[in-house]
Amino acid sequence: MVGVWPLPIHHVEVRLMQSHGTTPNIAAQAIKSTTRHGFLVALGWVAQRLNLVEILNRHLRIKQKTYAHTPVDKVVEALVAILGNCRYMKDLNFDPEPLVADPAVAQAWGQERFAHFSTVCATFSKLTEENVQQLSDALAEIQAPLLQQEVAAVAGPDRSGMVIVDIDLTGQKVRGETRQYTGTDFGYIQGKLARGYQIAAAFLSGKQQRFAIDGLLKSGKANSRSGACLLELIPRIEARIGRPLRRVEWVEACLAQQKARVRQLYQQLQTVSGKGSARRKQKLQREFQEEVQHLREVNQRLRQYRQENRTNLAPLRILLRADSAFGTPEVIQRLLELGYEFTIKSYSGSNPAYKRLFDAVPAEGWVEVEKNRFASEAVTVPGPTLLAPYPVRLVAMRRWDADGREVRSVILTTLQPEELTTTEVVKLYHGRQTIEAGFQEWKGTFHFGTPRMRKYEANAAFTQLVLFAFNLVRWAWRFLSTNSPKLAEAGSRLLVRVAARCRATIRCLGDTLRLVFSRGTPLAGAEITLNRATPYPYALLTPRMSSCSRET
């Protein structure tokens, strides 16, 4: 029978999970409630399926007293605010239809009621770098099976398929009293010199959609150190999706070349003499010490690569795509050592000497790859300086803007002509525009164009939550089903800005949790059902209750 709402949603779910063959009277009972944030309730069901709260409780250790809500409760509430189209944290309480005033949403996310936004901000102000890493580890554990499924679908049964990962930076300008934002610095953000943060992020190109792998919050100066950001992301990418086999044989060749360089410098040191020899010897001595240090580093990396290859039982073929900010010789050298394929732009066209090299190639040497865009492999642009020779392809590109200005660039790639033609290399590189679309979604749909908090660690934690929210709205339909084609095919913008703001009725009957959008809403009549028949990658745990006595 249909009655009032006597228990939170998570209580109902516990009873339904225990009702198979044991409590038929409860299974036959229907429970009904209403909400003003329909899709957020459905996402809460998904979060419970993913054991979000249980895993966060296991990882996060925030040093803060617990009264009515634990620190983990408030981290979850911040995630709900991101998914609920809250531009500012105060919108939790002061939005025209505030989330704090909707207990059905809180219950769907494992709480009785949400906390006041000020206490959420207070919790984030207590975060440390260790807490940010704990949050990142927890969210990585939750997403690992789902990311692995995407990788397996792309790589194929023999894992020989190309797994494409896009890496880029996006800026966050600070507003108001800029010096109050810790960890910020001046840098080129959105094409202008401004104070703020840079986010270095990696995206996976799945079979049908893109997914965020990981991201790092950096100061505004990170644009001038993009290569270091990429190399810092690599271990985090590999921890989440896997890694390729290292190019051990090529690194051995690099080591041999480095030894020869050291011997050559040593011989020069022994034979230097004559006028000015003291100054030359001092310079050679510095070079010798630097090369010896490089030799030690290469030798150490070689030992590490051999060990990693022995333990890598399921290697992947991973292609990295990145723009010219990442195309430094140091990055190219390291990516080759690590076994990655890549298409990276190495030159943005500002060098006037390169213009002569482009102009030296006749018109018939250029291939039109797209409208008003031409490519050639006949341009004699110098390649990156490496420790040992490697067959890196250089594809020169040129195009003309609407005002007639010529734009030149060069793509570096490890993919050889027998695998991809010149045209295919260019089109593959331009496929990285999906990451730009991802950044636009962060800033538009999730209101992440500016920092939410003034403390660096708090904003770093928000970065991790936005990455998770980005993926959660895509993975939701693995757990939910709907009778509405509009909902099934909707992008995250409609789900977050419309579906999460629509009134709906929640019905729990037997094994079914069903949400029906109310009349008078843009999604009137659409239904969402928690699909219990789907095999989940996690064991279903009992959601915990909210209590004043809990501690983190």
Side-chain angles (χ1 to χ4, degrees):
M1 68 179 181
V2 177
V4 296
W5 186 263
L7 292 170
I9 291 175
H10 50 268
H11 274 209
V12 174
E13 195 162 4
V14 174
R15 285 191 171 188
L16 294 177
M17 283 188 253
Q18 296 171 345
S19 67
H20 298 287
T22 58
T23 54
N25 57 324
I26 295 177
Q29 191 178 35
I31 303 174
K32 180 179 177 181
S33 183
T34 59
T35 177
R36 290 183 175 273
H37 304 87
F39 192 66
L40 282 183
V41 172
L43 288 177
W45 297 344
V46 174
Q48 290 197 43
R49 283 299 194 202
L50 294 174
N51 298 332
L52 172 70
V53 175
E54 188 271 337
I55 293 174
L56 286 176
N57 272 319
R58 181 152 37 86
H59 284 269
L60 269 177
R61 293 292 179 267
I62 302 172
K63 293 182 179 179
Q64 188 183 39
K65 290 182 179 180
T66 295
Y67 295 100
H69 298 84
T70 68
V72 168
D73 286 339
K74 288 174 274 189
V75 170
V76 172
E77 186 174 346
L79 173 62
V80 178
I82 292 168
L83 292 163
N85 195 33
C86 292
R87 182 180 293 273
Y88 309 108
M89 294 307 297
K90 66 180 181 181
D91 292 344
L92 281 166
N93 285 85
F94 299 112
D95 191 79
E97 294 184 347
L99 282 168
V100 169
D102 194 340
V105 177
Q107 291 160 10
W109 286 83
Q111 302 179 40
E112 290 188 6
R113 286 187 179 274
F114 283 139
H116 192 274
F117 86 93
S118 61
T119 65
V120 177
C121 295
T123 295
F124 275 80
S125 69
K126 297 289 185 181
L127 294 179
T128 63
E129 288 190 16
E130 183 181 3
N131 294 143
V132 175
Q133 187 57 50
Q134 290 167 354
L135 177 62
S136 176
D137 293 342
L139 298 178
E141 180 181 333
I142 294 167
Q143 299 178 89
L146 299 168
L147 277 175
Q148 288 296 334
Q149 289 174 15
E150 294 294 335
V151 170
V154 174
D158 58 355
R159 296 178 75 84
S160 62
M162 190 88 73
V163 178
I164 299 177
V165 175
D166 295 305
I167 297 177
D168 205 351
L169 290 171
T170 187
Q172 278 188 326
K173 279 197 248 184
V174 299
R175 59 180 186 270
E177 294 293 330
T178 57
R179 292 185 181 180
Q180 294 182 12
Y181 290 82
T182 63
T184 61
D185 210 332
F186 280 99
Y188 281 95
I189 299 174
Q190 300 170 6
K192 296 181 180 179
L193 186 64
R195 179 180 284 274
Y197 297 110
Q198 293 276 4
I199 301 173
F203 285 74
L204 171 69
S205 293
K207 275 287 186 181
Q208 296 179 335
Q209 298 190 74
R210 58 186 173 271
F211 298 90
I213 301 174
D214 202 0
L216 295 168
L217 186 70
K218 297 292 185 181
S219 74
K221 279 187 178 179
N223 195 45
S224 61
R225 298 188 293 268
S226 303
C229 292
L230 186 149
L231 296 178
E232 193 175 348
L233 274 173
I234 290 292
R236 301 169 74 96
I237 294 170
E238 293 181 349
R240 286 157 176 76
I241 68 171
R243 64 177 186 263
L245 284 175
R246 311 310 191 193
R247 292 186 174 96
V248 171
E249 294 80 5
W250 186 71
V251 180
E252 289 172 347
C254 292
L255 185 64
Q257 292 280 357
Q258 191 65 14
K259 287 179 178 178
R261 173 65 177 160
V262 169
R263 283 195 298 268
Q264 181 184 12
L265 285 173
Y266 179 76
Q267 292 171 0
Q268 291 177 11
L269 272 171
Q270 302 304 313
T271 58
V272 65
S273 61
K275 187 177 180 180
S277 59
R279 182 177 297 177
R280 290 201 305 272
K281 190 169 185 177
Q282 188 178 18
K283 180 181 178 182
L284 284 171
Q285 185 67 35
R286 285 197 303 269
E287 291 182 14
F288 177 76
Q289 291 173 354
E290 290 174 1
E291 296 300 332
V292 168
Q293 180 60 31
H294 291 161
L295 177 62
R296 290 171 180 161
E297 291 172 356
V298 173
N299 197 28
Q300 182 179 358
R301 294 202 299 267
L302 179 59
R303 290 197 297 268
Q304 178 184 344
Y305 297 156
R306 286 170 175 160
Q307 176 62 27
E308 289 175 347
N309 279 359
R310 283 193 290 268
T311 58
N312 191 358
L313 303 180
L316 292 169
R317 193 179 184 207
I318 302 178
L319 173 81
L320 296 183
R321 296 189 296 200
D323 65 11
S324 57
F326 301 93
T328 63
E330 295 78 14
V331 169
I332 301 301
Q333 171 72 32
R334 193 63 63 86
L335 292 180
L336 288 172
E337 292 179 6
L338 292 171
Y340 286 90
E341 310 289 352
F342 55 78
T343 54
I344 296 179
K345 188 182 290 186
S346 68
Y347 161 68
S348 59
S350 59
N351 191 333
Y354 280 23
K355 182 180 186 305
R356 292 192 293 271
L357 298 176
F358 277 62
D359 293 342
V361 178
E364 57 270 18
W366 294 90
V367 178
E368 187 170 11
V369 294
E370 295 173 4
K371 184 178 179 181
N372 200 30
R373 192 183 299 270
F374 300 85
S376 174
E377 296 189 51
V379 180
T380 57
V381 177
T385 304
L386 305 173
L387 295 181
Y390 192 90
V392 176
R393 262 173 99 186
L394 280 76
V395 178
M397 294 190 301
R398 70 194 313 182
R399 62 181 175 83
W400 284 266
D401 286 342
D403 58 0
R405 184 175 64 93
E406 182 183 3
V407 180
R408 302 177 298 276
S409 57
V410 175
I411 295 175
L412 298 177
T413 183
T414 54
L415 304 175
Q416 299 305 309
E418 57 270 16
E419 190 168 10
L420 289 181
T421 65
T422 301
T423 300
E424 290 169 337
V425 168
V426 174
K427 290 183 177 180
L428 176 65
Y429 174 78
H430 287 155
R432 65 173 294 277
Q433 295 302 320
T434 58
I435 195 172
E436 302 294 346
F439 288 150
Q440 290 301 318
E441 184 175 333
W442 282 11
K443 296 177 179 181
T445 301
F446 299 112
H447 302 297
F448 204 52
T450 55
R452 295 287 186 106
M453 311 285 279
R454 294 185 185 275
K455 186 179 178 183
Y456 167 80
E457 289 80 8
N459 287 314
F462 262 100
T463 301
Q464 295 299 322
L465 291 176
V466 169
L467 288 166
F468 180 69
F470 182 91
N471 290 340
L472 185 62
V473 294
R474 287 162 167 75
W475 281 324
W477 298 115
R478 294 193 180 190
F479 303 86
L480 304 170
S481 58
T482 180
N483 66 344
S484 169
K486 182 178 180 180
L487 266 180
E489 299 171 3
S492 61
R493 191 178 186 88
L494 185 143
L495 296 176
V496 171
R497 297 211 171 177
V498 179
R501 292 288 180 147
C502 285
R503 296 188 308 278
T505 301
I506 307 161
R507 294 189 176 93
C508 298
L509 177 62
D511 288 350
T512 303
L513 291 172
R514 190 174 64 173
L515 185 143
V516 183
F517 287 95
S518 304
R519 287 179 295 180
T521 67
L523 299 171
E527 295 185 7
I528 295 177
T529 305
L530 180 61
N531 191 348
R532 294 179 181 274
T534 303
Y536 302 116
Y538 300 96
L540 298 181
L541 302 180
T542 303
R544 62 174 178 77
M545 279 291 298
S546 237
S547 169
C548 294
S549 62
R550 288 174 291 142
E551 294 182 1
T552 301

